[in-house]
Amino acid sequence: MADMFSETTRVGFFSRLVESIKGVAIGFLLIVISAVVLFWGEGRAVHRAQALAEGKANVVSVDSKEVDSSNEGKLIHVSGNGASKDGLNDAKFGVEAPGALRLSRKVEMYQWKQREKTEKHNNLGGSEERTTTYTYEKVWSDEVIKSAGFKQSGHANPGEFPVGSQSWNAEDATLGAFTLNDVVLSQLPMDKTLTPPEAALETAGSLDFAKKKPIITQEKIYFGDPASPAIGDLRVAYSTLPAGPLSVVAKQGHGTFESYPAQTGEVLLAQAGTLSAEAMFKQAEEENANITWIIRGVGFVVIWIGFGMMLSPLVTVADVVPFIGSIVGAGAFLASLVCAIPVWMVTVAVAWVVYRPLIGALLLIVGIGIPIAFMISRKSQVKPTPT
């Protein structure tokens, strides 16, 4: 059951006005930063697409059973069975993963987490009442949640983890006749859960921080009662990348793999399973497109927020009469949207003029045309006063 308490503060009109004026500077800064990130994001997308296109045109599929010296320095595609004779182990807990290519230990601690939610109520005259509700929940987290800044006492968390998360890569990993190095292994996900053996409990129980008897349940080692955990309890989970089919696109270098230096970036692709070079490049292209749209979407929202903050003084002044403030607030919301759209489009267009001139020019025309068309339509709606 979560703990909860609320506090209400009253903020005067002039204090709110000062806050909103400060918000103008912050909003402008957000717009500038977002524009820079958007410009960088478009360049990143184009360069990545060009690097992948260059790689796709030059890649050579080879047999994983032998390392052909004639392919030295070339971009190659290899599919085969990833293996490790030695496997991996976590000596601290006595957990072994025979034949595994990668092993990860994730440690989580049961801690307090503070959440806060503020509700605002405008008063006649421009003052505002703010009621902030603080909720305290117990959660599992793999990071230390600092409780020193919590609003309410009595929810203290331990200052540090007695043992941390860690991951390992097999030093003898191979893909057929090729050696698998950390550059490739680090790109491969560890998505197979490893259940710790019962023998690990003896080792875990002997650790200096083990004040509670460990047990294994839900494929994890628990230091405490998993049905009723207490603050400071730990749970340890393991995941692996087992031996099995792998596919790699990379530069061949001395029997192993390196990033391929394309003209606009580096190319190195690695995936679990047996995939063709074409399928791997297609997936990389889709990933590039997804990242680009995420950057664009976040950039647009930040610009929208920035314009909203720049218009906030008008809303604050109108809030002297709450009803009028609500109307002005709705207008400011739409106005910030109308301003954000062309700024976003022009920013992306300018980037494309640099990286993709033809498409960028068309987008720039549209971006500039929107506010011009809006102003013309508004002007045409204004009827002349009869004389």
Side-chain angles (χ1 to χ4, degrees), residues 16 30 53 100 113 163 192 196 210 242 280 298 329-330 337 340 350 352 364:
R16 289 186 62 206
L30 286 177
K113 183 179 181 66
V163 62
K192 183 175 177 59
M280 295 182 71
V298 172
L337 175 61
V350 169
W352 279 34
L364 187 60

Side-chain angles (χ1 to χ4, degrees), residues 74-366:
K74 294 181 179 179
L75 181 65
I76 62 171
H77 161 255
V78 186
S79 288
N81 192 58
S84 169
K85 292 181 180 179
D86 296 338
L88 293 164
N89 71 87
D90 181 5
K92 195 172 191 67
F93 285 88
V95 173
E96 297 183 351
L101 304 177
R102 302 191 72 194
L103 174 66
S104 171
R105 176 182 74 207
K106 182 179 181 180
V107 183
E108 296 176 293
M109 183 188 294
Y110 204 56
Q111 304 174 72
W112 286 107
K113 183 179 181 66
Q114 175 181 276
R115 303 182 190 275
E116 56 183 274
K117 179 180 179 181
T118 300
E119 295 181 350
K120 300 178 181 180
H121 176 72
N122 296 329
N123 301 316
L124 187 64
S127 65
E128 182 180 73
E129 287 187 357
R130 301 175 182 175
T131 301
T132 303
T133 301
Y134 297 91
T135 304
Y136 296 89
E137 301 174 342
K138 297 176 182 179
V139 299
W140 289 101
S141 175
D142 60 354
E143 296 181 351
V144 173
I145 300 176
K146 297 181 180 180
S147 57
F150 284 2
K151 195 70 175 179
Q152 188 181 55
S153 60
H155 302 93
N157 289 325
E160 61 182 6
F161 277 65
V163 62
S165 299
Q166 193 172 347
S167 62
W168 302 264
N169 293 336
E171 295 181 356
D172 67 337
T174 58
L175 178 59
F178 292 86
T179 299
L180 284 173
N181 52 26
D182 288 344
V183 175
V184 174
L185 291 173
S186 62
Q187 293 200 24
L188 297 167
M190 292 174 279
D191 52 11
K192 183 175 177 59
T193 300
L194 174 66
T195 302
E198 292 293 331
L201 293 178
E202 183 177 351
T203 304
S206 65
L207 296 173
D208 54 3
F209 64 83
K211 299 177 181 180
K212 297 181 179 181
K213 183 179 178 180
I215 64 171
I216 295 176
T217 184
Q218 300 175 343
E219 301 178 318
K220 300 179 179 69
I221 300 175
Y222 281 82
F223 291 86
D225 182 1
S228 181
I231 296 299
D233 283 359
L234 298 177
R235 68 181 184 186
V236 183
Y238 288 89
S239 58
T240 68
L241 171 65
L246 299 176
S247 298
V248 176
V249 170
K251 185 180 82 169
Q252 179 178 309
H254 307 292
T256 187
F257 304 103
E258 302 172 3
S259 293
Y260 177 78
Q263 291 186 357
T264 57
E266 296 186 338
V267 177
L268 192 151
L269 311 176
Q271 295 180 29
T274 303
L275 291 89
S276 66
E278 183 179 357
M280 295 182 71
F281 275 103
K282 182 179 179 181
Q283 186 167 331
E285 290 165 353
E286 291 174 351
E287 180 182 334
N288 183 39
N290 291 337
I291 293 174
T292 302
W293 278 108
I294 289 173
I295 294 174
R296 289 172 181 168
V298 172
F300 175 76
V301 171
V302 173
I303 291 175
W304 190 358
I305 293 172
F307 275 112
M309 295 181 71
M310 292 182 69
L311 295 174
S312 61
L314 298 177
V315 180
T316 301
V317 172
D319 271 341
V320 171
V321 179
F323 174 72
I324 297 177
S326 298
I327 296 175
V328 174
F333 178 83
L334 293 176
S336 60
L337 175 61
V338 171
C339 293
I341 292 174
V343 169
W344 177 84
M345 292 184 69
V346 168
T347 302
V348 174
V350 169
W352 279 34
V353 166
V354 175
Y355 300 109
R356 296 177 179 176
L358 180 59
I359 300 176
L362 293 174
L363 190 60
L364 187 60
I365 292 172
V366 175

